[in-house]
Amino acid sequence: MRPRLVIAIDGPAASGKGTVAKKLAEHLGVPYLDTGLLYRAVARDVEARGGELEDATAAVSAAQSIDAQSLCDPGLRGPLAGDKASIIAKIPAVRAALLDYQRNFAKSSAEGAVLDGRDIGTVVCPEADIKIFVTASDEARAQRRYLEHQGRGENVAYEVVLEDLRRRDARDRDRSVAPLEAAGDALHLDTTTLDADAAFAAVLALIAAQITR
Ligand SMILES: Nc1ncnc2c1ncn2[C@@H]1O[C@H](COP(=O)(O)OP(=O)(O)O)[C@@H](O)[C@H]1O
Ligand SMILES: Nc1ccn([C@@H]2O[C@H](COP(=O)(O)OP(=O)(O)O)[C@@H](O)[C@H]2O)c(=O)n1
């Protein structure tokens, strides 16, 4: 029987972490949590109640009453929701309010779980069995987001996508609490020249090597 595995996948925007995390969870038959959705949902709920994203009290209140059912809202996808998420994600009390939800999810299944985000390996699940930090060049990541815009029929210039992505990454890297960074014991995967299938194969190889070590 396979041992219980909690797998933490972190990395910057559009590095491909969500794609590998989802495939990995399906492959292992364990639940998957896209933790970015939590931050996106908090920003959505603050605004829906007429609050400001920088208002810590409003944001903490939204974080404390997060509704799991509402995480499948398609309105949470897209770069504007991601940008708003990164504003409330800087507030330490918001991060603290979302910790239990994420940690309970990681414990929820006897088989394990896959979580992806920015601080899973460093803060949410520092005891994760496997930690993977996924990166890709800024240009490759912007190109992926640009293609997503095109797929939705949105006319946004590549240069604007690149600039937005760099600004959000900087906000995530430079914040005082749980910044975007690799855990010291994370395995690193650069997906710049890998398509989604190759990235998944590389992740499986990294995990196999770690487990048999
Ligand atoms: N290795 C890859 N090569 C090319 N495109 C990819 C790759 N991995 C993911 N994508 C595509 O890039 C976009 C961002 O991927 P996603 O997994 O959502 O990134 P993240 O979760 O890191 O923000 C999606 O449109 C996805 O289909
Ligand atoms: N574990 C996490 C996940 C997301 N976030 C924040 O939420 C924003 C949106 O995250 P996301 O994972 O949905 O964004 P993408 O990488 O999919 O573009 C990030 O830019 C971070 O500011 C975070 O701070 N910690």
Side-chain angles (χ1 to χ4, degrees), residues 3-207:
R4 180 172 194 278
L5 285 180
V6 172
I7 302 184
I9 305 195
D10 291 299
S15 53
K17 62 189 176 303
T19 301
V20 287
K22 200 165 171 213
K23 281 185 188 225
L24 195 52
E26 276 165 17
H27 178 79
L28 297 171
V30 299
Y32 160 57
L33 181 63
D34 171 356
T35 66
L37 286 177
L38 299 172
Y39 293 89
R40 289 169 182 256
V42 171
R44 173 200 59 196
D45 294 349
V46 167
E47 291 199 319
R49 296 172 189 178
E52 300 287 332
L53 295 176
E54 289 81 5
D55 177 350
T57 308
V60 170
S61 164
Q64 284 167 341
S65 55
I66 200 91
D67 170 17
Q69 303 298 322
S70 77
L71 298 180
C72 50
D73 170 7
L76 294 179
R77 307 280 165 192
L80 185 57
D83 203 60
K84 290 176 177 180
S86 72
I87 295 173
I88 60 98
K90 285 198 306 184
I91 303 171
V94 167
R95 306 198 68 85
L98 294 174
L99 263 184
D100 279 353
Y101 184 100
Q102 297 171 85
R103 288 183 174 154
N104 287 337
F105 186 93
K107 286 189 283 197
S108 64
S109 160
E111 281 78 39
V114 178
L115 293 85
D116 85 66
R118 301 292 186 288
D119 61 339
I120 309 301
T122 50
V123 176
V124 177
C125 300
E127 310 297 331
D129 304 285
I130 311 268
K131 300 178 185 179
I132 301 173
F133 196 75
V134 183
T135 55
S137 70
D138 291 1
E139 291 75 13
R141 294 187 294 117
Q143 178 65 17
R144 292 173 189 171
R145 283 282 187 255
Y146 174 72
L147 291 177
E148 284 182 5
H149 282 293
Q150 289 209 316
R152 291 194 294 261
E154 296 161 3
N155 188 17
V156 186
Y158 166 83
E159 288 73 21
V160 172
V161 176
L162 178 62
E163 200 180 305
D164 286 355
L165 188 131
R166 283 180 168 154
R167 191 186 57 244
R168 178 146 68 96
D169 283 352
R171 198 184 281 142
D172 288 344
R173 282 205 180 91
D174 296 345
R175 67 183 174 221
S176 58
V177 176
L180 163 64
E181 66 182 353
D185 52 351
L187 306 166
H188 289 251
L189 175 69
D190 184 336
T191 67
T192 306
T193 60
L194 304 177
D195 67 15
D197 287 341
F200 180 57
V203 161
L204 287 184
L206 282 174
I207 293 175

